[in-house]
Amino acid sequence: MKISDTKTSKPCAVVVGLALFALMGCSAAGDSKEQEEDSVAAGRLCGGVLSKEAGKALELITDVSRFRPSADESTVRAAARNLVRAGESSVTGYGDVCRISSPLDDFQVRSTWRLSNVLGKPMSPTSRFTKLPMGEGSGVDSNAAFLTFACYKKDDLKVTPDYVTIDALIARKEVNARDDLRALKDAYGTLVHSLALAMAKELGCKDNGGLKPEPSLTPA
């Protein structure tokens, strides 16, 4: 090979490299755009039951404003059906309410329900939670919350209610020293109240399980 041939081959390599880089860039941009198009706002999660305030709370908790769409069975309506089935065959039960993740799936907020015919401690240890005056018992932490309400069915003659606990917990996301812990606790309280209120309405509980339209975030 002549020296002149070697010199002329370098621009070709650069052109090929730039073309490959551009192709990779386009591919990455395309993937990002596709993920954005497949994502939804907080208000459409869990069957579209979250209040506007709960949607904002979820954005504060997760640091994102778009989420992976909820699966058909990851809704409050589906969770209520499963809870009713559990209550027909047993005095206790447990299941998912909704799972929430980002389009990149780099975190997950999981909400679950628990059913019992007696009022007990819904999460253990409860000492780490700040107690809130909601329902039969509620508590918040910087990465979790729970709320228990008593469900008397409107047309049921039962003297004792079913006790339903809704909780929410984030996984794969660390709380750092720069986070506003009070704001995070308030956000969790708002989120779990919205989910619990939606569940009480879906179950047809008398007086919505004793839950007020708005969360009570001042510690008990």
Side-chain angles (χ1 to χ4, degrees), residues 29-193:
D31 291 343
S32 177
K33 184 177 180 181
E34 184 177 346
Q35 289 168 344
E36 181 69 18
E37 290 175 348
D38 289 341
S39 65
V40 298
R44 294 180 58 187
L45 297 170
C46 309
V49 299
L50 295 183
S51 66
K52 184 177 180 180
E53 292 73 19
K56 292 179 180 178
L58 183 60
E59 292 178 8
L60 188 150
I61 291 168
T62 61
D63 293 326
V64 299
S65 59
R66 305 289 294 181
F67 304 87
R68 187 184 297 275
S70 298
D72 292 340
E73 288 301 307
S74 189
T75 66
V76 167
R77 176 167 293 182
R81 288 198 303 265
N82 292 334
L83 189 152
V84 170
R85 292 193 196 102
E88 290 172 348
S89 59
S90 175
V91 295
T92 61
Y94 171 85
D96 277 326
V97 175
C98 184
R99 297 194 184 198
I100 301 167
S101 61
S102 73
L104 298 178
D105 200 29
D106 53 353
F107 68 81
Q108 184 177 93
V109 178
R110 184 182 183 189
S111 177
T112 61
W113 59 265
R114 291 177 175 82
L115 171 67
S116 177
N117 67 340
V118 294
L119 182 60
K121 294 182 178 180
M123 296 185 74
S124 180
T126 57
S127 59
R128 71 185 178 99
F129 290 92
T130 300
K131 294 181 180 180
L132 298 180
M134 296 192 291
E136 298 296 322
S138 177
V140 292
D141 194 12
S142 59
N143 64 353
F146 70 88
L147 193 163
T148 300
F149 61 89
C151 185
Y152 291 92
K153 291 300 180 65
K154 296 177 181 178
D155 300 322
D156 197 341
L157 299 179
K158 283 176 60 178
V159 178
T160 57
D162 290 324
Y163 291 98
V164 180
T165 298
I166 305 298
D167 60 44
L169 172 69
I170 194 168
R172 300 198 303 275
K173 186 176 184 298
E174 298 295 328
V175 176
N176 61 60
R178 296 189 303 275
D179 288 325
D180 185 336
L181 297 185
R182 176 59 189 272
L184 280 173
K185 288 183 178 183
D186 285 352
Y188 268 103
T190 302
L191 176 61
V192 79
H193 171 270

Side-chain angles (χ1 to χ4, degrees), residues 192-212:
V192 79
H193 171 270
S194 184
L195 289 168
L197 183 58
M199 178 67 88
K201 290 179 177 179
E202 191 66 39
L203 291 171
C205 302
K206 184 178 180 180
D207 296 328
N208 293 330
L211 300 178
K212 298 177 181 179

